[in-house]
Amino acid sequence: MRPREVYIFTEGEVTEPEYIDFVHDHGELAVSGQPFQIHYENIRAPSKRRKPLPLVEDAVDCLVRVENAARQAGLKKEPERDWNWPQVWCFFDRDEHKDIGPAFAQARNAGVNIAYSHPCFELWRLLHYQNYTGGFGGVCGDAAALLKKQPGFAATYGGRGGSVSAQEAKRVKPDQFAAAVPEQNRFEQAKRYATRLGGKQPGLDPERWDPHTDVHRFVEDGLGVCKY
């Protein structure tokens, strides 16, 4: 059976791909027999093409290509879409980018999916440990610092000093999710907290959604994973 092919463009070069690989390796499918394949499309992209608007521009080109290939393979998009119709996703953060609004608008018009975090992806990782509802003022370093303080987080890097450098903390360790909520569905907890944040956002301007993350949409809608 042809798997769903998921094409991914990430702003980050380390954290997001390692997290996605973790979900690929440890995730449980919501519907058995509906596998997926991951394609990282911008592994070698220069930093100037890893900002939100260039990411979306490249993703739109990819979407046209992979949807044409899907039609040639006999998959259907309309009127009822096949479960394995390909998807294209962009991962990017608020950070201090100036092109968030245009990137969202272009992605929406083209049908490209976005997994967006404000201020950054570290918020999604943090929600696996605790609920968080206060704003960060757009400062990713504050979110990263709070993540590093979580019980058991530093120990997943194997050190004995009880601390981890900012550079090391970018690496995703599978044990972080086990340490976060032992014996529970860590994804379900993070999704629940993230969904609550999403219901409190002011207006339609994603630059003002502080804090916000909807990575759970990618896990569920993109990969079809319900648990890890």
Side-chain angles (χ1 to χ4, degrees), residues 176-195:
Q176 290 167 3
F177 302 101
V181 190
E183 307 303 326
Q184 295 185 31
N185 183 345
R186 282 85 72 186
F187 167 70
E188 186 61 35
Q189 171 186 281
K191 172 192 169 184
R192 183 169 64 252
Y193 293 155
T195 301

mmCIF file of all heavy atoms in Angstrom, residues 176-195:
data_model
loop_
_atom_site.group_PDB
_atom_site.id
_atom_site.type_symbol
_atom_site.label_atom_id
_atom_site.label_comp_id
_atom_site.label_asym_id
_atom_site.label_seq_id
_atom_site.Cartn_x
_atom_site.Cartn_y
_atom_site.Cartn_z
ATOM 1 N N GLN A 176 13.426 12.379 27.130
ATOM 2 C CA GLN A 176 12.794 13.595 27.653
ATOM 3 C C GLN A 176 11.287 13.427 27.754
ATOM 4 O O GLN A 176 10.653 13.948 28.674
ATOM 5 C CB GLN A 176 13.138 14.784 26.763
ATOM 6 C CG GLN A 176 14.590 15.200 26.856
ATOM 7 C CD GLN A 176 14.998 16.156 25.751
ATOM 8 O OE1 GLN A 176 14.170 16.562 24.933
ATOM 9 N NE2 GLN A 176 16.263 16.522 25.725
ATOM 10 N N PHE A 177 10.710 12.719 26.826
ATOM 11 C CA PHE A 177 9.263 12.546 26.835
ATOM 12 C C PHE A 177 8.851 11.520 27.881
ATOM 13 O O PHE A 177 7.821 11.653 28.530
ATOM 14 C CB PHE A 177 8.780 12.163 25.446
ATOM 15 C CG PHE A 177 9.159 13.188 24.417
ATOM 16 C CD1 PHE A 177 10.232 12.994 23.576
ATOM 17 C CD2 PHE A 177 8.463 14.379 24.325
ATOM 18 C CE1 PHE A 177 10.599 13.947 22.652
ATOM 19 C CE2 PHE A 177 8.821 15.346 23.401
ATOM 20 C CZ PHE A 177 9.893 15.130 22.564
ATOM 21 N N ALA A 178 9.675 10.507 28.069
ATOM 22 C CA ALA A 178 9.397 9.541 29.123
ATOM 23 C C ALA A 178 9.563 10.176 30.496
ATOM 24 O O ALA A 178 8.796 9.926 31.414
ATOM 25 C CB ALA A 178 10.331 8.342 28.984
ATOM 26 N N ALA A 179 10.581 11.034 30.621
ATOM 27 C CA ALA A 179 10.823 11.697 31.904
ATOM 28 C C ALA A 179 9.736 12.712 32.214
ATOM 29 O O ALA A 179 9.460 13.006 33.368
ATOM 30 C CB ALA A 179 12.188 12.389 31.882
ATOM 31 N N ALA A 180 9.133 13.254 31.174
ATOM 32 C CA ALA A 180 8.143 14.309 31.385
ATOM 33 C C ALA A 180 6.902 13.793 32.096
ATOM 34 O O ALA A 180 6.482 14.341 33.111
ATOM 35 C CB ALA A 180 7.758 14.930 30.040
ATOM 36 N N VAL A 181 6.287 12.755 31.574
ATOM 37 C CA VAL A 181 5.051 12.234 32.162
ATOM 38 C C VAL A 181 5.112 10.707 32.148
ATOM 39 O O VAL A 181 4.575 10.073 31.249
ATOM 40 C CB VAL A 181 3.803 12.716 31.386
ATOM 41 C CG1 VAL A 181 2.535 12.367 32.169
ATOM 42 C CG2 VAL A 181 3.866 14.198 31.112
ATOM 43 N N PRO A 182 5.778 10.100 33.112
ATOM 44 C CA PRO A 182 5.888 8.636 33.118
ATOM 45 C C PRO A 182 4.529 7.951 33.099
ATOM 46 O O PRO A 182 3.585 8.409 33.747
ATOM 47 C CB PRO A 182 6.636 8.366 34.434
ATOM 48 C CG PRO A 182 7.366 9.638 34.729
ATOM 49 C CD PRO A 182 6.467 10.732 34.229
ATOM 50 N N GLU A 183 4.451 6.883 32.331
ATOM 51 C CA GLU A 183 3.254 6.031 32.272
ATOM 52 C C GLU A 183 2.030 6.736 31.682
ATOM 53 O O GLU A 183 0.916 6.285 31.871
ATOM 54 C CB GLU A 183 2.902 5.501 33.676
ATOM 55 C CG GLU A 183 4.045 4.799 34.383
ATOM 56 C CD GLU A 183 4.594 3.628 33.581
ATOM 57 O OE1 GLU A 183 3.801 2.959 32.885
ATOM 58 O OE2 GLU A 183 5.813 3.389 33.645
ATOM 59 N N GLN A 184 2.224 7.839 30.981
ATOM 60 C CA GLN A 184 1.096 8.532 30.388
ATOM 61 C C GLN A 184 1.358 8.800 28.903
ATOM 62 O O GLN A 184 2.467 8.623 28.407
ATOM 63 C CB GLN A 184 0.824 9.860 31.109
ATOM 64 C CG GLN A 184 0.389 9.711 32.555
ATOM 65 C CD GLN A 184 0.032 11.044 33.173
ATOM 66 O OE1 GLN A 184 -0.430 11.954 32.490
ATOM 67 N NE2 GLN A 184 0.246 11.172 34.473
ATOM 68 N N ASN A 185 0.307 9.248 28.232
ATOM 69 C CA ASN A 185 0.412 9.675 26.846
ATOM 70 C C ASN A 185 0.938 11.108 26.843
ATOM 71 O O ASN A 185 0.189 12.060 27.026
ATOM 72 C CB ASN A 185 -0.962 9.592 26.170
ATOM 73 C CG ASN A 185 -0.906 9.951 24.688
ATOM 74 O OD1 ASN A 185 0.067 10.525 24.196
ATOM 75 N ND2 ASN A 185 -1.979 9.623 23.973
ATOM 76 N N ARG A 186 2.256 11.273 26.686
ATOM 77 C CA ARG A 186 2.857 12.589 26.769
ATOM 78 C C ARG A 186 2.319 13.522 25.701
ATOM 79 O O ARG A 186 2.106 14.709 25.932
ATOM 80 C CB ARG A 186 4.378 12.487 26.631
ATOM 81 C CG ARG A 186 5.077 12.024 27.882
ATOM 82 C CD ARG A 186 5.112 10.521 28.012
ATOM 83 N NE ARG A 186 6.030 9.916 27.066
ATOM 84 C CZ ARG A 186 6.162 8.604 26.887
ATOM 85 N NH1 ARG A 186 5.425 7.763 27.582
ATOM 86 N NH2 ARG A 186 7.013 8.134 26.014
ATOM 87 N N PHE A 187 2.060 12.983 24.531
ATOM 88 C CA PHE A 187 1.525 13.819 23.453
ATOM 89 C C PHE A 187 0.154 14.369 23.826
ATOM 90 O O PHE A 187 -0.139 15.543 23.579
ATOM 91 C CB PHE A 187 1.427 13.010 22.156
ATOM 92 C CG PHE A 187 0.610 13.683 21.105
ATOM 93 C CD1 PHE A 187 1.073 14.828 20.482
ATOM 94 C CD2 PHE A 187 -0.633 13.194 20.739
ATOM 95 C CE1 PHE A 187 0.307 15.475 19.516
ATOM 96 C CE2 PHE A 187 -1.403 13.830 19.781
ATOM 97 C CZ PHE A 187 -0.923 14.973 19.165
ATOM 98 N N GLU A 188 -0.697 13.538 24.407
ATOM 99 C CA GLU A 188 -2.046 13.981 24.742
ATOM 100 C C GLU A 188 -2.006 15.139 25.737
ATOM 101 O O GLU A 188 -2.785 16.089 25.630
ATOM 102 C CB GLU A 188 -2.851 12.822 25.318
ATOM 103 C CG GLU A 188 -4.318 13.150 25.554
ATOM 104 C CD GLU A 188 -5.064 13.538 24.289
ATOM 105 O OE1 GLU A 188 -4.756 12.977 23.218
ATOM 106 O OE2 GLU A 188 -5.944 14.413 24.368
ATOM 107 N N GLN A 189 -1.094 15.078 26.692
ATOM 108 C CA GLN A 189 -0.981 16.178 27.650
ATOM 109 C C GLN A 189 -0.554 17.457 26.949
ATOM 110 O O GLN A 189 -1.154 18.520 27.148
ATOM 111 C CB GLN A 189 0.031 15.850 28.742
ATOM 112 C CG GLN A 189 0.332 17.053 29.639
ATOM 113 C CD GLN A 189 1.421 16.798 30.633
ATOM 114 O OE1 GLN A 189 1.181 16.175 31.652
ATOM 115 N NE2 GLN A 189 2.622 17.288 30.358
ATOM 116 N N ALA A 190 0.507 17.388 26.152
ATOM 117 C CA ALA A 190 1.000 18.581 25.465
ATOM 118 C C ALA A 190 -0.059 19.159 24.533
ATOM 119 O O ALA A 190 -0.235 20.383 24.449
ATOM 120 C CB ALA A 190 2.269 18.242 24.684
ATOM 121 N N LYS A 191 -0.776 18.291 23.849
ATOM 122 C CA LYS A 191 -1.850 18.744 22.965
ATOM 123 C C LYS A 191 -2.939 19.464 23.755
ATOM 124 O O LYS A 191 -3.434 20.520 23.324
ATOM 125 C CB LYS A 191 -2.456 17.547 22.227
ATOM 126 C CG LYS A 191 -3.696 17.879 21.420
ATOM 127 C CD LYS A 191 -4.406 16.615 20.965
ATOM 128 C CE LYS A 191 -5.781 16.926 20.402
ATOM 129 N NZ LYS A 191 -6.522 15.696 20.035
ATOM 130 N N ARG A 192 -3.306 18.929 24.892
ATOM 131 C CA ARG A 192 -4.360 19.542 25.707
ATOM 132 C C ARG A 192 -3.955 20.945 26.146
ATOM 133 O O ARG A 192 -4.735 21.896 26.050
ATOM 134 C CB ARG A 192 -4.647 18.659 26.917
ATOM 135 C CG ARG A 192 -5.776 19.179 27.785
ATOM 136 C CD ARG A 192 -6.199 18.150 28.810
ATOM 137 N NE ARG A 192 -5.152 17.848 29.772
ATOM 138 C CZ ARG A 192 -4.459 16.708 29.800
ATOM 139 N NH1 ARG A 192 -4.702 15.756 28.909
ATOM 140 N NH2 ARG A 192 -3.523 16.514 30.707
ATOM 141 N N TYR A 193 -2.724 21.091 26.617
ATOM 142 C CA TYR A 193 -2.254 22.409 27.037
ATOM 143 C C TYR A 193 -2.171 23.369 25.847
ATOM 144 O O TYR A 193 -2.543 24.541 25.958
ATOM 145 C CB TYR A 193 -0.878 22.286 27.685
ATOM 146 C CG TYR A 193 -0.862 21.544 29.001
ATOM 147 C CD1 TYR A 193 0.297 20.917 29.451
ATOM 148 C CD2 TYR A 193 -1.997 21.477 29.807
ATOM 149 C CE1 TYR A 193 0.331 20.242 30.657
ATOM 150 C CE2 TYR A 193 -1.976 20.799 31.020
ATOM 151 C CZ TYR A 193 -0.799 20.180 31.439
ATOM 152 O OH TYR A 193 -0.774 19.512 32.633
ATOM 153 N N ALA A 194 -1.677 22.881 24.710
ATOM 154 C CA ALA A 194 -1.540 23.736 23.528
ATOM 155 C C ALA A 194 -2.900 24.184 23.005
ATOM 156 O O ALA A 194 -3.065 25.328 22.567
ATOM 157 C CB ALA A 194 -0.768 22.998 22.431
ATOM 158 N N THR A 195 -3.878 23.293 23.044
ATOM 159 C CA THR A 195 -5.215 23.630 22.572
ATOM 160 C C THR A 195 -5.833 24.728 23.432
ATOM 161 O O THR A 195 -6.509 25.627 22.923
ATOM 162 C CB THR A 195 -6.108 22.386 22.569
ATOM 163 O OG1 THR A 195 -5.519 21.383 21.726
ATOM 164 C CG2 THR A 195 -7.499 22.704 22.048
#
